[in-house]
Amino acid sequence: QVQLVESGGGLVQPGGSLRLSCTVSGRSFEDNAMAWFRQAPGKEREFVAGASWSGAITALADSVKGRFTISKENTRKILYLQLNELTVDDTAVYYCAASKYRNYVARSVAEYDDWGRGIQVTVSS
């Protein structure tokens, strides 16, 4: 059974930081590109950050460049997203996703095969 489980979310003040983790079981991790998406209330799910199978190729949405960092630890099958300088606009449910690609970091929801249930990140004073 494929499972992607996110952790590390919560409530944080503007300007604060969080680190999200996604652990994967039941499917290949080290051979596949993975990504983080997010969905705010009333909005569509959007790409946040992605990494190729080795983590050497990464992509970030323009809205998070310079603030968020994605990394992939293949030995432990964990995908991370470091969120810094958070703003209220970053409030959303964050999802971990795995694709069938190796080096291609897709930005479309449709390109990802497996998803976690999501975790809430709330930025508020």
Side-chain angles (χ1 to χ4, degrees):
Q1 181 181 0
V2 177
Q3 282 193 314
L4 285 70
V5 180
E6 302 93 342
S7 62
L11 173 64
V12 63
Q13 292 186 340
S17 297
L18 284 174
R19 188 175 80 160
L20 304 183
S21 300
C22 172
T23 57
V24 178
S25 60
R27 64 158 287 156
S28 171
F29 178 89
E30 59 272 18
D31 291 332
N32 298 95
M34 296 192 65
W36 290 95
F37 286 75
R38 68 185 180 186
Q39 188 166 17
K43 294 188 176 181
E44 293 188 354
R45 193 169 298 189
E46 64 174 1
F47 174 84
V48 176
S52 63
W53 72 277
S54 66
I57 301 170
T58 61
L60 293 167
D62 288 344
S63 59
V64 305
K65 280 182 182 176
R67 301 189 299 121
F68 291 10
T69 305
I70 187 170
S71 59
K72 199 168 179 277
E73 189 173 345
N74 284 342
T75 54
R76 297 176 63 195
K77 293 192 172 185
I78 303 176
L79 181 73
Y80 296 104
L81 184 68
Q82 179 67 40
L83 297 74
N84 297 329
E85 299 177 34
L86 285 160
T87 74
V88 294
D89 291 335
D90 296 315
T91 295
V93 176
Y94 284 70
Y95 297 89
C96 169
S99 80
K100 61 179 181 289
Y101 303 112
R102 189 168 169 86
N103 280 317
Y104 172 50
V105 180
R107 295 176 181 247
S108 168
V109 168
E111 303 274 23
Y112 288 84
D113 306 314
D114 294 304
W115 292 82
R117 290 188 175 185
I119 192 160
Q120 179 70 45
V121 171
T122 302
V123 185
S124 175
S125 55

